[in-house]
Amino acid sequence: MKVGLPKAMITYEYPVLYTRFFELLGIEVVFSEDTNTKILNDGIKYSASETCLANKIYLGHVANLVERKDKEKIDYIFIPRVAFFDKKETVCVKFYALYDICKNTFDAKFITLNVDYSCKETEFKAFVSLGIRLGFKFSKSVMAYVRAKKAQDEYNKKEYNTQVKKLLNNKNILVVAHPYIEHDKYIGYPVIKYLKDNKYNVIYSDVNKGILKSSDEYKKLSKMLYWKYNKNLLNGIMEYSDKVKGIIFISTFPCGPDAMVNDLVIRKIKNKPILNLVIDEQDASAGLYTRLESFVDILEQNNIVVGGNV
Ligand code: SF4
């Protein structure tokens, strides 16, 4: 059996969990290609115009798998539905709707799982029920989930330890963005590449000790926050902001959670140069590089401390 995974949004939040689960059940995983112009244009074509760029790109990745499914014998495309982690911890509503949108947009076979603690659908239950629906025994499905979860935890720990060692560098820049934004070839990659080409040491706010154990550090910036993935980014800001020369926020247009949270946080961070990049589908790279160049110039001015946005 072969399962297709769109290389966008939720897949980046769990880079090991989904793949390991399928592999442990003996299912081959096929990823969509890296984001390219065709994927972007297909995403725009299949999406409602008012949705965020990240969501549009997701649909472009699904279209990429749908196109390849017959040639590469992909049996199902996997679109998880992740909603609530507890009553007060949820994710952006775009994640709730992915499966339904894809099912109603494309002609292909989809499989899903439903993580929604508000109706007692735990992650454990969701994975085990997916394994059973795919024809595997209860015990094998449990084993696959437990081992995949452990592999994801070990991956998180390794990423975190590697990043902490990198902090010894004195050219640290903190990038605050969801993993599906900072690692996407169209959205975040040009920014990260520019920084690395200029010998900066990129620190990612989503890789922090909060992903190893629950952390309430984010409450020092926002007590009321209930979006799980934004909480994690704020935990990263709390952990790294005093160890970096500057901070770059990257979000996509139009993003409700990031617009609210980033704006609030940027006003609270003092004495640190900040660049706030909001990328949309028309973003010309010339404008992006001009802003990055002027930000780097500020950082290089003999470490003069400058507050506010560039
Ligand atoms: S958090 Fe923002 S970028 Fe992410 S899916 Fe929601 S609206 Fe899109």
Side-chain angles (χ1 to χ4, degrees), residues 5-188:
L5 246 73
K7 214 192 282 180
M9 282 180 71
I10 191 82
T11 310
Y12 277 103
E13 295 286 352
Y14 307 98
V16 175
L17 180 65
Y18 298 146
T19 1
R20 282 302 284 146
F21 176 75
F22 289 121
E23 284 168 359
L24 285 161
L25 292 175
I27 297 172
E28 192 180 330
V29 172
V30 180
F31 283 101
S32 53
E33 293 160 22
D34 286 337
T35 306
N36 53 40
T37 311
K38 181 168 179 345
I39 287 181
L40 173 67
N41 289 338
D42 282 347
I44 294 168
K45 181 172 90 184
Y46 287 113
S47 302
S49 58
E50 64 272 16
T51 197
C52 70
L53 177 61
N55 205 161
K56 286 177 181 165
I57 285 178
Y58 190 90
L59 290 203
H61 280 267
V62 176
N64 178 262
L65 289 168
V66 171
E67 269 175 26
R68 291 160 55 201
K69 72 178 170 32
D70 293 333
K71 196 168 165 213
E72 299 193 29
K73 299 191 175 16
I74 298 170
D75 299 284
Y76 299 103
I77 299 172
F78 176 60
I79 315 280
R81 177 180 183 273
V82 174
F84 279 87
F85 289 86
D86 75 30
K87 276 188 191 145
K88 289 195 184 146
E89 189 165 74
T90 184
V91 296
C92 165
V93 289
K94 301 283 190 315
F95 288 91
Y96 298 15
L98 287 177
Y99 174 68
D100 289 318
I101 290 174
C102 292
K103 223 174 130 215
N104 288 296
T105 306
F106 299 101
D107 183 15
K109 282 196 211 161
F110 293 100
I111 45 163
T112 190
L113 54 70
N114 185 29
V115 178
D116 190 344
Y117 285 60
S118 71
C119 49
K120 299 195 171 61
E121 292 291 336
T122 63
E123 189 180 79
F124 174 84
K125 252 172 101 176
F127 272 91
V128 174
S129 123
L130 171 64
I132 291 169
R133 274 181 284 130
L134 287 169
F136 297 93
K137 285 189 176 157
F138 175 81
S139 54
K140 185 152 186 177
S141 305
V142 171
M143 178 277 295
Y145 169 70
V146 171
R147 286 175 60 184
K149 181 81 177 161
K150 189 166 174 241
Q152 178 68 63
D153 291 346
E154 283 168 1
Y155 171 89
N156 290 345
K157 200 170 180 181
K158 194 169 161 213
E159 289 283 289
Y160 175 67
N161 289 338
T162 307
Q163 175 145 295
V164 168
K165 280 187 200 140
K166 276 170 64 187
L167 281 168
L168 294 172
N169 189 312
N170 66 358
K171 288 196 82 174
N172 300 323
I173 287 197
L174 179 63
V175 169
V176 181
H178 298 290
Y180 51 89
I181 288 175
E182 64 200 9
H183 300 303
D184 183 88
K185 277 280 186 289
Y186 177 84
I187 316 171

